[in-house]
Amino acid sequence: MLFPIQNQKRLKMNLNGIWNFSLVEEYYEPNFPLEDYILMAVPSSYNDLVTDKKIANHVGLVCYEKMIDIPKMIVNEELRIRIGAATHKVSVYFNGAKIGYHNGGFLPIDLLISKELIDDHNRLSIVLDNRLDYQTLPIGKIEYKNGIERQVINYDFANLSGIHRDVFLYTRPENSIEDIFISTKIDEDKAYVIYQVITKGNIKLIAIKDKNQQVVGLSNEQDGMIVVHKPHLWDIGFGYLYTLEVTTDNDIYQQPFGIREIEIKNNQFLLNKKEVYFKGFGMHEDHLIIGKGANSAHHIKDMNLLQWIHANSFRTSHYPYAEEIYDLADQLGILVINEIPAVGLNFWSEEKVFVEGVVDEKTKQVHMDQLTELVYRDKNHPSVVMYSLANEANTHEEGAYAYFKDIFSHMRTLTHLPLMIVEWVNAESNKVASLADVIGLNRYFAWYSEFGELDVIEERIKKNFNAYFEKFKKPIMLTEFGADTIAGLHALPSVPFSEEFQVEFLALYQNAIQDLDYVIGEHVWNFADFMTKQGLTRFNGNKKGVFSRDRQPKMVAHFLREHWKNR
Ligand code: GCB
């Protein structure tokens, strides 16, 4: 499904802003306008906008409602609604009639509004269910205590909820262009742009345009290959974008793309045949007040900080991010490791994966469906250079291999990009990592084990990494390492939680991996402090950020900036 755009043939209306909002009962169907409602901002998490804990911590259903007038001049067009993401199970109603349902809080929902439902004045209602179970990603469990529903989660970020990304109404002409798939190959001083257009319309022209709108390649076939001579390659820090413009007898769509080639060879990650060392972060969509809501100003600020610190990449830990973030990474030449919300797959039994009531075949189907949606959403972003299929699953347990064998083979039918799995278990007991092209290792020596003992880091890391390499013979990335640090807390000599300790901690990890030539990169955990569930080890959130939650640098940010400058 293509991202909605506005051009000669298509109209796009943004429905962001103030909506009516209410907690609602189980099995709610919005037959009448909401009576008791409060005002709510879209896009945003609702949790931090309210003062009432009952709403902030609500587990269950809520309804968002907005009245919209549809201009008469578009009545002959196909009208669609597109919600960038909302948590987690979404039912959409137009004038009280259900027009669709979606499971997956970090991927879009795109629905047709049939003509007979449309009036001059219309009521759009979006009902969200934020409960996580074994048929959602992330997985979770509902428990009842004293008659109150509680959400149990097995991962480390808050279940912030709401309509988190843009809501658009948009039009498409009849027999529209439904999808476009583009891939590229480089051959000396030319590039092959391989494309496929999905449409029932008749293709009139396919044109590749460069940044200055000059045509550099043409075709009139629905799928095929166009040669671009002397191409500008998409590269780190150089986000050169071309446009593939498709014109049919009644539609036009302009799809940006980059020319670049990715390969794993000799335990290295190659971009345009050159070795890459990943420098950057695992991040989160997480901000003061708006929570997981998408916001262009925050997106720009985060990109500016990434560039300032000389990072070249980030992982979308632990879920797909708003599409605008990928658009920015495309334009700035930043590499993205695109992660699916398979985090916390740790509810498996000791003996086997498939026991009733925990991760099972249905979970696997949801995992696969979301991978399909993710690739269909992000296939044309040059910044997406790798996919991460899970973070810290229990890959040492019986049954993990069977589960992930299907997940990996499914993903290989969708993309040729390298596939990563991010691991917490040790090499000896890992049953899954052989399936991946790149192994991500999250390590917390001197933090979650041997707390504060900085002198163990070097030996532990080397032993741990070498064991992985010897067993699996795959490139490895240090995908997480970090220490909670309270901004403004200083200590000399350092103590855990001080800014000095964070610098020493990260430097020791970097030192330990620097001679391991199969290590293709380092991502510090985390880019910024972020909100988590409550816990004894969490002081108003996770404080492993290199920046505070309001994006001010801790001491370590200056250290990393120096360290990464020439790395
Ligand atoms: C991890 C997880 C990440 C946590 C982090 C931590 O291994 O992948 O989601 O936030 O550790 O800080 O505990």
Side-chain angles (χ1 to χ4, degrees):
M1 182 65 71
L2 294 169
F3 190 78
I5 59 170
Q6 181 159 320
N7 63 19
Q8 306 90 301
K9 297 285 185 181
R10 292 165 172 243
L11 182 72
K12 179 167 91 167
M13 293 158 277
N14 193 320
L15 300 184
N16 294 350
I18 305 298
W19 291 50
N20 297 344
F21 172 94
S22 178
L23 307 189
V24 293
E25 298 297 321
E26 194 83 3
Y27 311 118
Y28 176 75
E29 298 247 326
N31 293 325
F32 304 99
L34 288 174
E35 272 180 14
D36 278 328
Y37 60 82
I38 59 169
L39 302 178
M40 189 53 69
V42 171
S44 175
S45 300
Y46 54 74
N47 313 77
D48 289 347
L49 303 192
V50 295
T51 50
D52 183 353
K53 255 197 186 177
K54 191 171 150 239
I55 301 175
N57 300 334
H58 176 66
V59 176
L61 272 57
V62 301
C63 179
Y64 285 75
E65 188 179 83
K66 194 172 182 75
M67 297 302 296
I68 40 181
D69 288 357
I70 307 286
K72 277 269 186 281
M73 64 241 210
I74 58 166
V75 287
N76 293 326
E77 305 290 300
E78 176 183 308
L79 189 63
R80 304 186 67 90
I81 176 163
R82 210 241 195 209
I83 307 160
T87 49
H88 289 278
K89 297 173 207 159
V90 187
S91 302
V92 183
Y93 300 81
F94 200 80
N95 292 327
K98 189 164 183 170
I99 59 168
Y101 170 81
H102 183 253
N103 172 8
F106 301 96
L107 286 163
I109 171 165
D110 192 318
L111 302 168
L112 174 73
I113 305 173
S114 62
K115 290 215 160 48
E116 51 290 2
L117 291 177
I118 303 173
D119 254 320
D120 291 347
H121 309 295
N122 304 274
R123 190 162 48 88
L124 176 62
S125 323
I126 302 179
V127 178
L128 307 186
D129 183 346
N130 70 349
R131 285 171 295 189
L132 297 166
D133 53 35
Y134 295 100
Q135 275 87 60
T136 59
L137 287 186
I139 57 167
K141 194 163 61 176
I142 296 291
E143 270 179 9
Y144 292 90
K145 261 192 206 158
N146 306 329
I148 297 172
E149 262 188 313
R150 284 183 208 277
Q151 178 71 64
V152 180
I153 54 175
N154 187 35
Y155 58 84
D156 184 33
F157 53 93
N159 189 23
L160 297 169
S161 303
I163 300 179
H164 282 152
R165 299 182 190 156
D166 294 329
V167 185
F168 296 120
L169 267 186
Y170 73 101
T171 68
R172 292 198 313 193
E174 221 183 310
N175 291 335
S176 64
I177 299 160
E178 281 171 34
D179 217 338
I180 301 171
F181 296 80
I182 305 170
S183 62
T184 55
K185 273 200 111 8
I186 300 161
D187 183 9
E188 310 222 314
D189 62 347
K190 52 184 189 300
Y192 302 106
V193 178
I194 303 127
Y195 69 90
Q196 186 192 8
V197 179
I198 312 293
T199 180
K200 292 200 188 80
N202 298 312
I203 302 283
K204 281 173 63 186
L205 194 66
I206 310 267
I208 295 181
K209 295 183 175 175
D210 68 11
K211 234 177 169 169
N212 304 319
Q213 298 305 306
Q214 298 301 309
V215 175
V216 294
L218 285 171
S219 165
N220 50 18
E221 304 285 330
Q222 185 150 355
D223 46 54
M225 189 183 76
I226 300 176
V227 179
V228 176
H229 294 276
K230 294 204 170 43
H232 299 276
L233 300 186
W234 187 93
D235 216 329
I236 294 171
F238 187 74
Y240 194 99
L241 296 181
Y242 290 88
T243 305
L244 187 95
E245 183 173 84
V246 180
T247 310
T248 64
D249 34 13
N250 43 357
D251 197 7
I252 297 186
Y253 194 89
Q254 289 91 3
Q255 176 62 54
F257 71 100
I259 296 180
R260 54 107 174 98
E261 199 177 275
I262 284 150
E263 207 186 342
I264 303 282
K265 208 172 158 184
N266 302 330
N267 303 312
Q268 296 302 320
F269 184 100
L270 307 185
L271 170 65
N272 304 334
K273 308 190 199 299
K274 291 179 308 212
E275 285 181 12
V276 170
Y277 187 79
F278 288 79
K279 304 176 288 182
F281 302 93
M283 297 181 72
H284 263 300
E285 288 185 312
D286 178 89
H287 291 276
L288 288 166
I289 314 288
I290 63 170
K292 292 199 171 309
N295 175 283
S296 301
H298 281 307
H299 296 161
I300 292 283
K301 177 78 186 185
D302 284 359
M303 293 295 149
N304 285 342
L305 292 177
L306 286 172
Q307 290 188 313
W308 173 84
I309 207 166
H310 302 298
N312 61 11
S313 54
F314 61 90
R315 175 167 61 118
T316 68
S317 41
H318 293 305
Y319 38 81
Y321 290 178
E323 284 138 301
E324 186 177 82
I325 296 176
Y326 302 76
D327 290 340
L328 291 174
D330 288 345
Q331 293 173 67
L332 299 171
I334 296 175
L335 310 176
V336 179
I337 301 175
N338 209 3
E339 189 159 278
I340 199 79
V343 48
L345 294 183
N346 293 345
F347 288 135
W348 305 349
S349 80
E350 286 300 308
E351 299 78 37
K352 60 190 189 62
V353 174
F354 299 122
V355 288
E356 214 176 324
V358 296
V359 173
D360 62 10
E361 287 290 345
K362 288 193 208 132
T363 321
K364 190 168 80 184
Q365 192 55 49
V366 173
H367 198 156
M368 289 199 209
D369 291 348
Q370 291 202 17
L371 285 170
T372 309
E373 287 179 40
L374 178 65
V375 176
Y376 271 69
R377 191 191 74 155
D378 292 341
K379 57 196 179 295
N380 295 325
H381 286 291
S383 58
V384 174
V385 295
M386 184 147 56
Y387 286 96
S388 162
L389 303 199
N391 180 76
E392 298 197 345
N394 274 7
T395 51
H396 58 293
E397 291 185 0
E398 252 353 284
Y401 182 77
Y403 181 97
F404 277 106
K405 191 160 114 7
D406 291 351
I407 295 289
F408 273 85
S409 31
H410 174 67
M411 193 61 171
R412 294 209 192 272
T413 65
L414 299 167
T415 179
H416 296 301
L417 286 177
L419 306 183
M420 171 187 253
I421 186 151
V422 178
E423 297 281 7
W424 72 275
V425 307
N426 285 331
E428 298 72 49
S429 47
N430 191 315
K431 298 192 193 326
V432 172
S434 59
L435 295 166
D437 303 307
V438 175
I439 303 171
L441 296 182
N442 296 349
R443 290 297 177 263
Y444 289 96
F445 303 119
W447 196 257
Y448 291 123
S449 65
E450 297 124 322
F451 179 65
E453 297 173 32
L454 292 172
D455 53 350
V456 305
I457 291 172
E458 174 150 10
E459 193 260 344
R460 294 277 193 285
I461 282 287
K462 286 200 165 132
K463 205 163 139 213
N464 218 266
F465 273 52
N466 284 334
Y468 254 101
F469 185 66
E470 272 153 34
K471 180 165 173 191
F472 295 107
K473 300 274 179 285
K474 309 258 181 180
I476 295 176
M477 189 167 153
L478 178 55
T479 31
E480 285 185 26
F481 61 119
D484 288 81
T485 303
I486 308 299
L489 179 71
H490 290 280
L492 188 65
S494 74
V495 293
F497 298 101
S498 69
E499 297 205 20
E500 285 76 6
F501 186 89
Q502 190 181 25
V503 174
E504 288 166 32
F505 185 97
L506 295 191
L508 284 164
Y509 274 79
Q510 289 170 326
N511 198 47
I513 57 170
Q514 78 174 356
D515 299 327
L516 307 178
D517 43 12
Y518 54 80
V519 173
I520 62 161
E522 59 192 56
H523 277 176
V524 174
W525 191 256
N526 189 285
F527 173 71
D529 293 347
F530 59 92
M531 197 40 70
T532 59
K533 61 186 175 191
Q534 300 182 55
L536 268 175
T537 57
R538 295 291 179 261
F539 182 76
N540 193 25
N542 185 312
K543 300 291 182 198
K544 294 192 186 70
V546 163
F547 298 93
S548 57
R549 201 173 181 215
D550 61 354
R551 275 38 181 186
Q552 296 309 322
K554 297 182 191 169
M555 212 167 101
V556 77
H558 300 281
F559 161 77
L560 284 174
R561 183 167 192 247
E562 265 316 292
H563 184 81
W564 282 344
K565 197 168 170 183
N566 303 311
R567 179 74 177 90

